[in-house]
Amino acid sequence: MKENICNIPIHDIFGETCGCPICRIEKMLEDIYVEYTTGPAMMAPDVRIITNKKGFCKKHFDLMAEKGPRLSNALILQTHLDEIKQNLLPQNSKKIPTTAQQKGIAQLMSSCYICDRIEHDTVHFLSTVFAEFCEDENFRKSYESQEFLCLSHYSLVMKCVKNDSRLKKAYKKEFITATNNLCKKYLESLVDDVTKFSKMYDYKNRGKDFGTSKDSIERSIDFLCGK
Ligand SMILES: [Zn+2]
Ligand SMILES: [Zn+2]
């Protein structure tokens, strides 16, 4: 199995400023992996061993069914379901599943081949972000001028800051400050906007302009859950 199936165009991703940049990367990786899983990977025995074991989350099963060929989906499901039948259910119908089998079912419910690949590549990609931030002033500006980092990606970036040597000491503080700004300032603006939105329902404000509070509910959900 290839470590990375694509080179993420870092400057294209950060050239845009709308929304969370890491969400944009994940969306790109998701499209690639959905196509890859129901395409070339379907015939790769080493990938099938993993997909049979891990399965997929609801979102990615749905995307594969929607975008991938019907036959590919059926073949992937055939071996995946068969593995569940062989290993996770009691062979004797009078017995209940063993503790190991119950554990296996619980594990299967929370694992997804595509989610795992996306997570792996995103962490790898963040390492490139750190390196670019240290080397390229224009990239630093692009990073700082992002609209925001969603809460989950803010947490991921900060987690990686701790363990990644590609973020040189001389730029660490600057990077941390920029990252905090991308999350904190946006969060503060959301609090203001949602507050304003609620106040707009006061009769005294009838007919007034909602301004930036207009889509504050949707933007708060994007911030909290990613897009
Ligand atoms: Zn995000
Ligand atoms: Zn998934």
Side-chain angles (χ1 to χ4, degrees):
M1 180 173 47
K2 279 191 222 161
E3 261 300 284
N4 284 82
I5 61 165
C6 65
N7 283 319
I8 304 173
I10 179 165
H11 290 278
D12 292 349
I13 294 275
F14 281 86
E16 281 179 50
T17 51
C18 177
C20 166
I22 317 299
C23 282
R24 291 201 292 276
I25 294 158
E26 291 199 339
K27 174 75 182 68
M28 195 193 89
L29 288 168
E30 182 173 71
D31 290 346
I32 290 169
Y33 278 119
V34 165
E35 205 188 314
Y36 172 73
T37 309
T38 53
M42 209 232 353
M43 299 309 286
D46 53 342
V47 179
R48 284 290 287 285
I49 288 170
I50 305 173
T51 59
N52 287 342
K53 220 173 188 57
K54 286 190 178 173
F56 302 90
C57 66
K58 162 89 175 136
K59 181 188 178 195
H60 290 138
F61 261 135
D62 284 346
L63 275 174
M64 283 160 56
E66 184 195 322
K67 304 211 162 144
R70 301 297 284 169
L71 178 61
S72 301
N73 275 285
L75 291 171
I76 290 166
L77 282 166
Q78 186 192 350
T79 48
H80 179 49
L81 292 172
D82 195 52
E83 184 150 326
I84 296 170
K85 190 182 93 183
Q86 300 292 338
N87 300 324
L88 299 184
L89 262 54
Q91 298 308 311
N92 181 341
S93 297
K94 294 196 176 80
K95 300 218 161 147
I96 60 167
T98 62
T99 311
Q101 285 171 329
Q102 289 284 26
K103 232 174 146 180
I105 294 172
Q107 242 165 30
L108 180 67
M109 292 294 109
S110 63
S111 73
C112 168
Y113 171 73
I114 293 181
C115 282
D116 287 356
R117 295 293 316 248
I118 293 173
E119 194 187 316
H120 170 273
D121 285 7
T122 303
V123 169
H124 190 268
F125 178 78
L126 283 177
S127 200
T128 315
V129 170
F130 296 150
E132 283 295 301
F133 192 90
C134 298
E135 278 158 28
D136 182 354
E137 201 194 323
N138 284 330
F139 182 78
R140 280 198 286 284
K141 281 188 189 134
S142 304
Y143 185 82
E144 284 161 4
S145 46
Q146 293 300 309
E147 189 181 3
F148 65 94
L149 279 174
C150 73
L151 192 57
S152 132
H153 287 139
Y154 165 78
S155 162
L156 178 69
V157 170
M158 287 304 205
K159 203 168 100 191
C160 293
V161 160
K162 258 175 132 178
N163 310 317
D164 202 309
S165 59
R166 289 181 81 186
L167 183 60
K168 295 194 188 102
K169 222 178 157 194
Y171 290 97
K172 210 168 182 168
K173 268 193 187 150
E174 195 178 336
F175 184 84
I176 290 171
T177 307
T179 304
N180 271 324
N181 283 342
L182 286 176
C183 185
K184 256 173 89 180
K185 282 194 180 153
Y186 192 71
L187 176 57
E188 280 159 15
S189 76
L190 282 177
V191 172
D192 291 347
D193 277 345
V194 174
T195 308
K196 183 179 175 192
F197 189 93
S198 318
K199 283 186 180 156
M200 289 303 284
Y201 283 80
D202 191 318
Y203 73 97
K204 281 179 252 163
N205 292 321
R206 196 174 291 161
K208 282 191 187 160
D209 186 13
F210 275 72
T212 53
S213 78
K214 195 174 58 188
D215 57 352
S216 58
I217 293 175
E218 288 72 22
R219 288 190 295 110
S220 298
I221 297 170
D222 288 346
F223 171 76
L224 291 168
C225 307
K227 200 174 182 177

